Amino acid sequence: MITRNEYHVPVLLEESIEGLAIKPDGIYLDCTLGGGGHYRRLAEMLDKDGIVIGIDKDPEALKWVCDHPPYVKSQMLLEQSKFSEFDKVLKKHSIKKIDGLIIDLGLSSRQVDNPRRGFSYKADTPLDMRMDPQSNMTAEKIITESSEEELSGILKDYGEIRNPQRMASAIARFSGKERIATSGDLRKCIENEYGTPVKYKVLSKLFQALRIAVNNELEELRTCLHKAVEYLNKGGRLVVIAYHSLDDRIVKNFMRDYERKCVCQPYEPICKCNRPAVLKRINRKAIRASVNEIGRNQRARSALLRICEKVV
Ligand SMILES: C[S@@+](CC[C@H](N)C(=O)[O-])C[C@H]1O[C@@H](n2cnc3c(N)ncnc32)[C@H](O)[C@@H]1O
């Protein structure tokens, strides 16, 4: 028998759905459909006038959810899209405003566990790492087509790797002699430079950096958050689950900035901008998964949930 959790076990499910403060006849957007865990629960909370739209870059996620639909009264829509372009999806369905939006960042277990997708350094797989298999950037291309300086920037900004210059230069030297096409090749290159066994943390930061670059993840997130402010109704909620500090920092700063009223320069004695607070944070500290949930699902260990409400 197929169980829904075969694709992905949803993280912080109850907390994030509660965070959306759902109105049964509202319109909700799940920006990261994955195996549809959050999407399904959302759909169950709505009545026949409610609408839930699920989007994902990865067509496999859409197919999975299409093949395993929940039996609910609400209207359910599915579209393949980047979440930075969710406005185009709303326009297609003549939807002008929404009551809530959820972003559950990162990868689904299905993506990580599929060796052909190349996300894991634990197996020797092609260096692909595309969430959208139709996009033309792969991790192999980043490695072979970036200059040493560009690679060093990627390792520093997206992997927070100490001495990124050393790693970039080792990769450039190695790829000048041998092709780096698989995670095994890349591991060999790193072992040549740092010795064996290479630390798990080094490889995980390197793979994180490449994955973020391939999928333009940080820019995607920034764009989506800013559009969320524009499209949410007053009282609408934004719920974000991040799994690493780079994503969480963007979310935290974004929510804090929109909660501030005045954006005048500190040297201006009187406020001229008259900007009202746009968002109100529902939780100041990120919500983490319970020990129970982590016991059931290791992936929940690093999850950080932030919730805010549009107040104008
Ligand atoms: C952690 S999974 C979501 C899991 C889902 N909440 C569930 O309960 O099954 C993240 C999903 O977001 C998708 N994704 C990541 N970045 C995206 C983006 N910029 N645009 C659209 N989808 C994206 C990935 O392809 C992946 O399927």
Side-chain angles (χ1 to χ4, degrees):
M1 195 180 93
I2 296 170
T3 65
R4 306 267 143 84
N5 287 346
E6 258 176 43
Y7 196 103
H8 181 85
V9 180
V11 170
L12 287 166
L13 181 61
E14 304 309 330
E15 295 84 345
S16 51
I17 295 296
E18 193 182 316
L20 282 168
I22 290 172
K23 295 193 299 177
D25 60 350
I27 303 179
Y28 293 87
L29 176 63
D30 181 347
C31 286
T32 48
L33 184 70
H38 291 93
Y39 178 78
R40 266 190 214 96
R41 181 60 61 85
L42 239 164
E44 285 162 7
M45 307 278 293
L46 301 177
D47 65 25
K48 66 174 184 14
D49 297 317
I51 302 177
V52 56
I53 309 133
I55 61 177
D56 203 296
K57 271 182 173 183
D58 188 345
E60 206 183 333
L62 295 148
K63 182 170 183 321
W64 172 266
V65 177
C66 259
D67 290 349
H68 303 88
Y71 301 102
V72 292
K73 298 186 224 95
S74 52
Q75 300 170 57
M76 301 176 75
L77 304 169
L78 291 172
E79 294 284 349
Q80 188 186 353
S81 168
K82 308 176 191 184
F83 56 54
S84 62
E85 295 184 350
F86 76 74
D87 48 329
K88 292 188 182 158
V89 173
L90 297 185
K91 195 166 176 203
K92 179 175 165 193
H93 294 283
S94 308
I95 294 171
K96 293 205 168 66
K97 290 276 182 183
I98 52 177
D99 297 297
L101 179 145
I102 177 165
I103 314 173
D104 178 16
L105 291 159
L107 298 167
S108 64
S109 305
R110 176 65 67 105
Q111 289 167 323
V112 177
D113 297 342
N114 181 345
R116 278 174 295 127
R117 306 293 297 262
F119 287 111
S120 171
Y121 54 82
K122 290 179 182 149
D124 188 10
T125 62
L127 280 171
D128 188 307
M129 302 195 193
R130 288 171 296 176
M131 289 179 186
D132 171 4
Q134 283 126 24
S135 96
N136 53 22
M137 185 50 72
T138 64
E140 183 184 356
K141 272 193 172 178
I142 298 257
I143 285 177
T144 51
E145 294 176 11
S146 307
S147 68
E148 195 175 314
E149 199 187 340
E150 285 166 341
L151 200 53
S152 169
I154 288 171
L155 299 175
K156 175 169 168 279
D157 296 343
Y158 300 158
E160 299 184 296
I161 286 169
R162 242 190 291 150
N163 201 349
Q165 185 52 51
R166 176 180 173 193
M167 192 182 279
S169 142
I171 294 174
R173 258 183 284 120
F174 192 92
S175 70
K177 288 181 273 164
E178 285 179 49
R179 182 164 172 220
I180 304 183
T182 67
S183 48
D185 301 335
L186 188 56
R187 182 193 275 260
K188 189 172 147 202
C189 154
I190 298 300
E191 283 173 353
N192 276 0
E193 178 67 20
Y194 297 89
T196 46
V198 82
K199 280 195 193 127
Y200 153 83
K201 223 176 168 178
V202 174
L203 286 175
S204 108
K205 285 181 166 190
L206 166 59
F207 271 62
Q208 173 185 300
L210 291 172
R211 194 197 88 196
I212 291 177
V214 168
N215 298 290
N216 194 21
E217 290 181 34
L218 305 187
E219 214 32 59
E220 274 287 304
L221 176 59
R222 284 192 197 96
T223 308
C224 182
L225 292 175
H226 288 285
K227 286 189 179 175
V229 172
E230 194 184 329
Y231 281 85
L232 276 174
N233 277 322
K234 183 176 177 187
R237 293 278 180 99
L238 167 64
V239 168
V240 190
I241 309 173
Y243 296 86
H244 58 73
S245 58
L246 292 173
D247 277 344
D248 185 55
R249 207 173 300 144
I250 291 174
V251 178
K252 185 170 75 182
N253 291 340
F254 161 84
M255 290 186 179
R256 200 194 47 210
D257 289 351
Y258 274 92
E259 196 178 50
R260 266 176 54 202
K261 284 189 181 150
C262 170
V263 287
C264 291
Q265 295 297 327
Y267 56 75
E268 294 185 287
I270 299 168
C271 169
K272 289 187 188 137
C273 71
N274 291 321
R275 189 181 91 149
V278 178
L279 297 176
K280 180 181 87 185
R281 280 176 287 178
I282 302 299
N283 56 322
R284 297 214 154 231
K285 273 185 85 176
I287 297 169
R288 288 181 164 275
S290 65
V291 176
N292 247 343
E293 179 173 358
I294 296 170
R296 278 181 276 116
N297 179 10
Q298 276 295 297
R299 202 190 135 78
R301 224 176 5 170
S302 53
L304 297 160
L305 168 66
R306 295 188 187 270
I307 305 161
C308 66
E309 182 172 311
K310 185 151 174 215
V311 290
V312 286

